[in-house]
Each structure stands twice: as C-alpha cells, then as structure tokens.
Amino acid sequence: MMAQLTYFWGTSIEIIFPGWPGRSFSSYILALSLVFLISLLVEWLSHARLIKSSSNYVTAGLLKTLMYTMRIALAYLVMLAVMSFNIGVFLAAVGGYSAGFLIFGTQVFRKFKIQLRDRIRGRSLDCVNLKYAVVYLRV
C-alpha cells in the first residue's frame, strides 16, 4: 500500500505496522479506540503524582525517569499513528489528549472529590469553608 501524503477519511489504512489494523470497519474502530486510550494514558502519566515525597531520592528519581520514558514512548507512538494522515486517527488522538487533560489536568472534578471526601470524613461542606477544605485535604 502506498503511503498517503494528504489527510483522508477512510477505513482502509495502515497504522504503524504493515497490515494493521486491516481493512474491516470493526478493526478500524478498534484502532481508533486504541489511539484514544493511549493518548488518554499519556495525559494521565503527565499529571499523575505516583511517587511519594518520603521516598529515597535515588529511587524517586529513577521512578520519575521511568514514568517519563513511558510517557514519551507512548506519545511518539500516538504521533506515528497520526502520521498515517487519517482524519479519524487524528480526531481520536486529539480527543484522547483533550479528555485526558479535562479529567486529569484541570480542576473540573476537584469540587466533587472534595465533597465526596468530606462526606466520608463526616463533615458538612458549604461555600464558606470550601477554601479551608482544600487546604485540609492537601495536608
């Protein structure tokens, strides 16, 4: 199959590997879902705080380097998928990055988390002590 050099819309594509995802519509949808999930995972790795500050500095540094390596490798994989010049793949990648940033990078769901944690701890939360609840949860 000759490489496409302009953006096109169609289900007959090759992403990254020859012959993948195939020529059927279901394999195309599977490929789009995989691109979406990988780009969502890249955003999660960008915003996740998985390493405790009380860890050994060398161990923490190595774990951060490993996470960074995984994030960059997955981001390059998404970039290679987008280089198939398929509009569906491009939209799946942009959608995955956008959804990941909305979920993990913004404060949209922060208020819900505060209310849920506050209810679990048995306290009532109103607008007056909302700023104190944020400080309370960070301690």
Side-chain angles (χ1 to χ4, degrees):
M1 179 176 177
M2 174 90 175
Q4 187 76 23
L5 298 178
T6 59
Y7 276 98
F8 70 100
W9 190 273
T11 60
S12 179
I13 61 169
E14 286 184 351
I15 303 175
I16 303 171
F17 306 109
W20 188 79
R23 300 203 181 272
S24 71
F25 183 72
S26 60
S27 62
Y28 177 70
I29 295 299
L30 178 67
L32 293 182
S33 301
L34 189 62
V35 169
F36 182 87
L37 290 174
I38 291 174
S39 57
L40 188 79
L41 180 62
V42 169
E43 280 299 313
W44 178 72
L45 286 171
S46 298
H47 298 286
R49 303 287 180 245
L50 300 176
I51 299 158
K52 305 232 185 235
S53 60
S54 62
S55 299
N56 182 353
Y57 291 115
V58 175
T59 305
L62 290 174
L63 288 174
K64 283 183 181 180
T65 303
L66 179 67
M67 283 180 54
Y68 178 79
T69 304
M70 287 176 36
R71 184 183 66 154
I72 294 302
L74 291 172
Y76 274 119
L77 197 63
V78 172
M79 180 200 64
L80 288 173
V82 169
M83 287 176 62
S84 70
F85 290 103
N86 184 276
I87 295 172
V89 173
F90 174 75
L91 293 176
V94 170
Y97 280 122
S98 300
F101 183 76
L102 177 70
I103 295 169
F104 307 116
T106 64
Q107 300 295 319
V108 171
F109 300 106
R110 180 79 175 155
K111 183 177 178 183
F112 175 73
K113 288 180 183 177
I114 291 171
Q115 289 175 347
L116 184 63
R117 288 180 187 169
D118 205 46
R119 286 183 187 155
I120 290 172
R121 292 180 179 154
R123 299 174 186 251
S124 63
L125 183 64
D126 57 9
C127 293
V128 175
N129 60 8
L130 180 62
K131 68 178 185 177
Y132 300 113
V134 173
V135 172
Y136 173 72
L137 289 174
R138 289 185 183 180
V139 173

